[in-house]
Structure formats: structure tokens, C-alpha cells
Amino acid sequence: TVVYPRSYLPEFESLVPYVVATVELAEGLRLFGLIRERHEAPAIGSPVTLEIERWPEGRCVPAFRCVAGGEE
């Protein structure tokens, strides 16, 4: 997990500070994506749900939300 305190690309300026994490899916695939609506720093092994966000430019970006109380 990495917290970016500034934007390196114009598309991310409105997200600062933002968190990017590597998430391993149940199928074994690993994805990089934004962590959304985090109330505390996510811990390794924390359950998340995957959402695909469509950005205004038409890009589709993976994003994850931490599951409250560890319930998936």
C-alpha cells in the first residue's frame, strides 16, 4: 500500500492524497487499484470489494473498498 501525497498525473489531482494498493483476488490474480473511502490505513489481508470506475475520459479503473468488520 502506498499513500501518494501529491499527483504525478493531471488525472489524479482531485484525488490527493490517494492510496494505491496491490490486492490479491481469490482466483490468485493481483491487481493495482485505488483504495476508496478508507477510514484507517488498510492492513495486509484486509478484505475488500472490487469496483470498476469509469472516469470522465472513458477509462475504466479498478478501485477497492475496505469491507467493514471483515465481512465480504
Side-chain angles (χ1 to χ4, degrees):
T1 303
V2 178
V3 177
Y4 287 91
R6 69 181 194 102
S7 175
Y8 295 93
L9 297 169
E11 295 88 348
F12 289 86
E13 286 179 7
S14 66
L15 303 174
V16 172
Y18 59 95
V19 176
V20 175
T22 304
V23 175
E24 184 171 351
L25 304 179
E27 297 81 9
L29 178 69
R30 291 183 182 164
L31 294 176
F32 287 95
L34 298 169
I35 299 290
R36 293 297 193 177
E37 294 184 14
R38 60 186 171 82
H39 301 288
E40 57 187 50
I44 294 173
S46 296
V48 296
T49 57
L50 171 64
E51 298 177 355
I52 304 298
E53 295 181 350
R54 183 174 300 273
W55 287 14
E57 310 84 34
R59 293 183 193 169
C60 292
V61 178
F64 301 95
R65 292 189 190 275
C66 295
V67 176
E71 300 172 10
E72 293 185 67

